[in-house]
Amino acid sequence: MAALVYSNQVLNSKLTIVASVTVIVLIYLPPVLAQQLNQTASPATGLARPRPVATAHRVTETLSIDGALDERVWQEAEPLTDFVQAEPLEGQLASEKTEVRLLYDDNAIYVGVFLHDSDPSQIIITDTRRDANLDEMDSFQVIFDTFHDLQNGFVFGTNAAGIEYDAQVRSQGGFDSSWDGSWDVRTQSVENGWTAEFRIPLRTLRYGPPPQVWGLNFMRNIQRRREKSYWAPLARIYNLGRLSSAGELRDLDFKAPRNFKVSPYVTASANRNFTPNSKTIRRGDWGIDAKFGVTGSLNLDATYNTDFAQVEVDTEQINLTRFNLRFPEKRPFFLENSGLFRVGKSPDLDLFFSRRIGISEDGSLVPVKGGVRLSGKAKGLNVGMLNIQTEEVDSTPANNFTAVRVSRDLPSRSGLGVIFVNRTATGSMAGSNNWNRTFGFDGRFGIGERATLSGFAARTATPGIAGRQYAYNIDSAYDDGKHRTFFEYGVTGENFNPEVGFVRKSGGYRRMRVGFYETMRQPRVREMHFRELLPHASYTRFDYLDGGGIQNASLHVDNHFDWENGYFLSPALNITWEGLDQPFEVYPGVIVPPGVYRSPRFTLRVNTDRRKWLFGRIQWDIGGFLSGDQNTLLQEVILRKGGKFTVDTTWKRSDITLPQGAFVTNLGNMRVTYNFTPSVFAQSLIQYNDRTQRWSTNLRFHWLGTAGTGFFVVYNDTESLNGLGPVNRAFIIKYVRQFDLLR
């Protein structure tokens, strides 16, 4: 025990030293070094073509945002053209011409687009709701790297129906479409294509002092050909977030905007739990959110009496594993800038997971009294600070949650960062030593344009807990467009306890993952009417610490057949190993004894063309499951009508046969959506779960304003299937209005 304590103290000291060095590097990294790295970096586009450069014309007259592009200033602006394909024929000119013009004034930047189309009748619109997935329809997107750090940006997009799509990109990662900004776009259909006109207020963005140079790129999607083309060419393996290969927007002269917006809300609700002697609870409430521009690059968000009534309920899951289920965050205040706080190895481990705030372990809501968030850039650092206070509920004390994140982007797709997360119980019920803390640091290093090395290390501190409270992981990856390989290794201590984070597998483990992907796009593949073939294999293994043997492992061998017509086939062999160190009750009354269970199974995934009015998807798993067998079938059918009406139905049935017992589970849901306009829609989500013996209904009507505001009507109904009737019913009306105090 003494040796263990000593070892833990040594590790803690090392972590403290490394974290301190990281902070020093973040703050004092010499600009000269950054310039040298930038000079040696050579962001590859995969094409022999220089990085394109654009300029925007300053205007003084007022523009009418109607999508027509008929004002004189639009006609006089020089168009940006010559888009280059990434899909399907990488490096060739786009099949249709696209013209983009840029203007700006003291308040906004304007983007005017003429998307030529030789057959406008073939333009595909699959959804007309705000923030719909633009990858599945004809669309246009623009990204602004406003600090020109080659890693972070703001995305704005639309389709031919004129929907608003906005997102943020961090560290050249995926799109975070939960961010909602205040901006406008209008489109018009014309004889030989369609046009779009964007007005993006400068107060919606964050940027440095003048004169500015921004990173810039545009993407056009022509869905009937599954064609993606870019103004600044990108290799097929990248997306619009690859800012290290973006073009430049020069000669800007934007002053720091003043920004102060408040969004008060009012709600009225009626709620009833159908327990004996219960009564309907009627309630009215109010709250307010505010956004204040501290500087041109730092925003302060504040919330009081926070309410999330308009958020869609969770999609139910049935857990047949020993591990924790993960439900996505859907609450707007926590989603905005969430990528800034993302550190760990998702989805297995996150040092900060906002669903731990305001949602209890059983899924019930804990009132959020209020909070603040500071985010943006300061002296070259990415800064994020979040503080939230919740109220006490029954025997659960009130809690204060804090997350602090500081990172620095470096040249060649690299960066370093630190994070601190704290939970402290407050109020009369708090007691003593009721707190939990997490400390972590992370790094990402681009090696050339094809290799990446990244990782993190973290430690937690909880009163009364000793032993291994640390976790770390190292990832390496190589991708040249044809070959992709990766190797990962990490350790999570048995007492690692990020209470405001997420750990899927408890008890401590060593983790190793290795894989290889081969992308085949040779002429002979295209002659067989395939877009690509993707043979690949991966192996993931979790071992108990201290030589305890295997905890869980999986071998996956597969090949993706992607047809040009949009059909897809994936026949896979999967072998899983489950090492049970204690009896596991997989289903009530069905207990699997300790042991190591090897379970090979065949997995078949098939889907039809997503562009069509009728889309179908099937996943069939047949073979081993723990000590016995499974036959699991998941089916999904989507019906669409002109992008306005959608019916999405999913059903999953698992038939499990074990020596210890047999059982069947069924889980189904149907989501019906009707879009009156891009800002007005009605949606229902009906769910059935025979594991909980309940079905539920979530009905929502949204009349959206700017930046997530608007009028919302919500009805929730949960019914029991065992003859007891209704369990809970709630009816909610909410109205949120944004006031721009400095407009």
Side-chain angles (χ1 to χ4, degrees), residues 577-682:
W577 291 263
E578 296 287 346
L580 304 184
D581 59 347
Q582 56 186 353
F584 170 48
E585 187 174 25
V586 63
Y587 191 83
V590 181
I591 301 176
V592 182
V596 177
Y597 299 93
R598 177 178 172 271
S599 305
R601 74 181 188 277
F602 174 71
T603 301
L604 178 67
R605 293 187 295 140
V606 181
N607 65 252
T608 62
D609 186 355
R610 293 181 178 273
R611 298 168 293 185
K612 304 300 183 181
W613 67 271
L614 176 63
F615 167 78
R617 176 174 70 96
I618 291 176
Q619 178 172 321
W620 182 35
D621 288 88
I622 185 167
F625 180 83
L626 290 173
S627 58
D629 299 299
Q630 70 166 313
N631 188 345
T632 298
L633 182 64
L634 182 147
Q635 306 167 78
E636 181 181 19
V637 176
I638 299 179
L639 298 170
R640 296 190 183 96
K641 177 64 175 176
K644 285 184 172 293
F645 181 66
T646 304
V647 180
D648 184 348
T649 304
T650 302
W651 191 274
K652 182 177 182 180
R653 175 185 171 90
S654 296
D655 192 340
I656 310 295
T657 303
L658 307 176
Q660 296 78 26
F663 59 91
V664 175
T665 66
N666 287 277
L667 181 66
N669 65 68
M670 181 172 67
R671 183 179 281 104
V672 181
T673 305
Y674 187 82
N675 304 316
F676 299 92
T677 72
S679 300
V680 182
F681 73 90

Side-chain angles (χ1 to χ4, degrees), residues 259-261 290-295 298-302 374 742:
N259 187 19
F260 188 19
K261 299 171 183 175
K291 183 182 291 290
F292 177 72
V294 180
T295 67
L298 272 176
N299 273 344
L300 178 67
D301 295 272
L374 181 69
L742 300 180

Side-chain angles (χ1 to χ4, degrees), residues 299-609:
N299 273 344
L300 178 67
D301 295 272
T303 179
Y304 171 74
N305 200 22
T306 315
D307 176 83
F308 306 107
Q310 75 273 24
V311 176
E312 184 185 64
V313 298
D314 288 323
T315 303
E316 295 191 25
Q317 305 177 48
I318 293 179
N319 193 1
L320 298 179
T321 73
R322 298 166 287 156
F323 311 120
N324 298 320
L325 290 178
R326 181 189 180 103
F327 291 91
E329 177 64 270
K330 297 183 178 181
R331 298 170 296 173
F333 183 83
F334 293 107
L335 283 171
E336 185 172 349
N337 292 309
S338 59
L340 180 61
F341 297 93
R342 193 171 296 130
V343 181
K345 187 58 189 175
S346 190
D348 291 316
L349 188 154
D350 281 301
L351 301 188
F352 177 71
F353 186 47
S354 59
R355 275 186 67 104
R356 299 299 187 211
I357 304 174
I359 302 178
S360 64
E361 291 292 337
D362 62 2
S364 59
L365 297 180
V366 176
V368 175
K369 185 176 297 185
V372 295
R373 177 184 58 232
L374 181 69
S375 59
K377 275 189 178 285
K379 296 185 178 180
L381 301 178
N382 302 309
V383 177
M385 290 180 281
L386 174 71
N387 184 270
I388 298 290
Q389 178 67 45
T390 61
E391 300 179 6
E392 60 184 43
V393 177
D394 298 328
S395 59
T396 302
N399 278 279
N400 183 266
F401 299 87
T402 300
V404 179
R405 169 73 166 153
V406 180
S407 66
R408 180 158 199 154
D409 298 315
L410 303 175
S412 189
R413 301 174 292 112
S414 303
L416 292 171
V418 295
I419 188 171
F420 168 73
V421 184
N422 179 77
R423 179 200 62 80
T424 301
T426 60
S428 58
M429 299 173 57
S432 60
N433 290 328
N434 191 344
W435 53 266
N436 174 264
R437 292 169 189 151
T438 301
F439 311 84
F441 63 91
D442 63 311
R444 180 186 69 260
F445 304 96
I447 304 172
E449 285 298 310
R450 298 176 177 178
T452 305
L453 182 67
S454 61
F456 80 93
R459 182 189 184 280
T460 60
T462 309
I465 294 181
R468 289 174 287 204
Q469 300 184 67
Y470 60 84
Y472 63 84
N473 200 89
I474 299 174
D475 297 356
S476 60
Y478 175 87
D479 191 344
D480 64 4
K482 296 181 179 179
H483 317 285
R484 179 163 70 93
T485 185
F486 56 85
F487 176 78
E488 304 167 3
Y489 179 80
V491 173
T492 299
E494 72 278 4
N495 289 319
F496 183 69
N497 179 37
E499 292 184 3
V500 198
F502 178 83
V503 179
R504 183 182 297 277
K505 301 172 187 285
S506 58
Y509 55 80
R510 288 186 176 85
R511 175 185 178 277
M512 183 271 291
R513 185 167 183 254
V514 61
F516 178 79
Y517 287 68
E518 176 78 11
T519 301
M520 301 176 64
R521 290 195 166 212
Q522 297 88 339
R524 67 178 183 273
V525 172
R526 299 187 60 84
E527 290 171 1
M528 294 186 288
H529 305 290
F530 290 108
R531 171 65 59 92
E532 72 175 23
L533 303 179
L534 188 67
H536 60 277
S538 63
Y539 178 69
T540 306
R541 180 178 177 119
F542 294 83
D543 283 301
Y544 292 106
L545 298 176
D546 301 326
I550 191 171
Q551 182 195 60
N552 168 261
S554 63
L555 173 66
H556 174 73
V557 181
D558 194 0
N559 185 21
H560 292 173
F561 296 84
D562 184 3
W563 278 272
E564 282 289 350
N565 64 8
Y567 281 65
F568 175 85
L569 171 67
S570 166
L573 171 66
N574 293 291
I575 304 176
T576 60
W577 291 263
E578 296 287 346
L580 304 184
D581 59 347
Q582 56 186 353
F584 170 48
E585 187 174 25
V586 63
Y587 191 83
V590 181
I591 301 176
V592 182
V596 177
Y597 299 93
R598 177 178 172 271
S599 305
R601 74 181 188 277
F602 174 71
T603 301
L604 178 67
R605 293 187 295 140
V606 181
N607 65 252
T608 62
D609 186 355

Side-chain angles (χ1 to χ4, degrees), residues 168-179:
Q168 289 178 310
V169 171
R170 288 199 175 276
S171 303
Q172 296 199 132
F175 287 14
D176 183 1
S177 60
S178 59
W179 175 71

Side-chain angles (χ1 to χ4, degrees), residues 727-741:
V727 176
N728 176 269
R729 288 174 180 166
F731 181 75
I732 305 161
I733 298 177
K734 179 177 180 179
Y735 179 68
V736 188
R737 176 72 181 273
Q738 184 184 90
F739 295 93
D740 191 340
L741 301 183

